[in-house]
Amino acid sequence: MKLKVLGTQSPYNTLGHNCPGFLITDNETKIMLDCGSGSHSLLNFPNDLNNLSIILSHLHRDHYNDVYNMQYSSFVFHNQKRIERPIDIYLPSNPVSIYQDIIEETNSFANYSAISEKTNLQIGNISIDFCKTDHPVETYAVKLSNEDRTIVYTSDTSFSCKDKLVEFAKNADLLICESSLLTSYGFPEINSHLTAKQAGIIAKESNVGGLMLTHFWPEELPEKFVQEAKSIFSKVIAANEGEIIDFPKIKEKEEDLR
Ligand SMILES: [Zn+2]
Ligand SMILES: [Zn+2]
């Protein structure tokens, strides 16, 4: 599996920094995890539309805004006969008005499936499971595994479901964890988002191979979040737009961090 970072910032994108998105590839399989504002600017069109599945972890604007552009692009490229298969879009069915708005889009060449905690997907060689987090709307952490690697993406979450996330991420090779907040700012422990320190606690307790922080506040340097998480867990990197991580290389990065 390869991971390409498409977007790391919330609640808005700025030049060079997009709202949440990741592209995971494994041979012909392509899975876009979240579709935040600007995230699709790092895709290769129309090639990346071929064989593409999109998973929306939840229906907050910073995670789904670009899905409309993806739908419209699929429609246009299909009309030009440059993509053959519809893209597959997986998303929570709540809030219902947003779900309906997405699946009823007519200028689109896509299939839609609602996800739940019981959903298990097999896309190419990748098996995908979901874990509901505590967040103001229906939200899922996502686990992607092939025969030799496992990536877990927390999406947005409160620390109130920490134990559930630790269990879900147990022994994963990489945990991509939101860290919207800094403890130094005095945020209460239970919020609708995590501090970098809490991301470190989840990484440590789940014994993951590495921690990639994301979902950064635009006015802060990602290094500040890395520093805070490192007080708990040493193998930390900040997600960075355009970076491609090939899994053997994450192990080398871990060595560098020691
Ligand atoms: Zn959210
Ligand atoms: Zn978010």
Side-chain angles (χ1 to χ4, degrees):
M1 277 195 283
K2 270 188 192 175
L3 172 77
K4 182 175 181 180
V5 178
L6 306 176
T8 66
Q9 191 168 281
S10 179
Y12 55 90
N13 57 318
T14 53
L15 191 63
H17 297 285
N18 303 318
C19 288
F22 297 89
L23 182 70
I24 284 139
T25 54
D26 184 23
N27 296 314
E28 295 306 302
T29 303
K30 298 185 202 94
I31 300 168
M32 188 177 182
L33 268 184
D34 278 340
C35 231
S37 302
S39 59
H40 72 333
S41 65
L42 289 170
L43 296 179
N44 296 315
F45 287 89
N47 289 352
D48 281 344
L49 291 174
N50 279 310
N51 243 343
L52 180 68
S53 300
I54 297 174
I55 296 173
L56 301 179
S57 65
H58 67 301
L59 300 180
H60 272 162
R61 286 261 173 204
D62 56 325
H63 295 253
Y64 79 85
N65 254 352
D66 271 7
V67 81
Y68 298 104
N69 299 350
M70 298 299 289
Q71 288 173 298
Y72 193 63
S73 302
S74 70
F75 173 75
V76 171
F77 282 115
H78 176 59
N79 288 346
Q80 295 178 352
K81 303 196 184 332
R82 293 168 73 188
I83 61 166
E84 290 170 13
R85 279 195 57 236
I87 56 176
D88 291 312
I89 300 177
Y90 301 91
L91 70 170
S93 53
N94 287 290
V96 174
S97 59
I98 301 171
Y99 173 75
Q100 292 293 350
D101 190 45
I102 293 171
I103 69 166
E104 288 170 5
E105 174 60 49
T106 50
N107 288 346
S108 175
F109 184 52
N111 297 317
Y112 305 94
S113 306
I115 55 174
S116 76
E117 211 160 29
K118 293 186 180 127
T119 303
N120 170 261
L121 304 174
Q122 189 70 42
I123 304 177
N125 290 324
I126 301 179
S127 177
I128 302 162
D129 293 292
F130 298 89
C131 171
K132 200 166 181 215
T133 73
D134 290 345
H135 197 56
V137 298
E138 183 180 349
T139 302
Y140 295 97
V142 185
K143 177 157 54 184
L144 305 99
S145 306
N146 67 4
E147 57 280 355
D148 57 2
R149 295 290 173 181
T150 297
I151 302 172
V152 172
Y153 169 53
T154 62
S155 184
D156 291 0
T157 183
S158 167
F159 198 59
S160 56
C161 61
K162 184 260 286 180
D163 291 346
K164 196 177 170 190
L165 282 170
V166 165
E167 188 57 37
F168 187 64
K170 210 78 186 169
N171 301 322
D173 294 284
L174 179 69
L175 176 66
I176 306 169
C177 192
E178 75 122 309
S179 69
S180 309
L181 312 171
L182 289 163
T183 307
S184 53
Y185 280 24
F187 287 104
E189 186 171 310
I190 300 305
N191 208 297
S192 50
H193 287 284
L194 299 176
T195 62
K197 184 178 175 188
Q198 289 170 336
I201 292 169
I202 293 169
K204 185 177 182 186
E205 292 191 14
S206 55
N207 190 40
V208 294
L211 170 63
M212 176 185 272
L213 299 178
T214 190
H215 207 281
F216 302 120
W217 183 253
E219 294 167 301
E220 290 291 355
L221 288 172
E223 280 316 303
K224 275 198 175 180
F225 298 87
V226 170
Q227 281 306 320
E228 185 173 302
K230 269 192 179 173
S231 67
I232 305 291
F233 186 78
S234 63
K235 293 174 278 181
V236 189
I237 54 174
N240 190 19
E241 277 82 358
E243 188 171 11
I244 296 174
I245 291 173
D246 209 340
F247 267 69
K249 286 186 186 154
I250 198 90
K251 296 285 178 199
E252 288 165 23
K253 274 180 188 280
E254 287 165 19
E255 294 303 320
D256 290 347
L257 289 166
R258 283 203 180 101

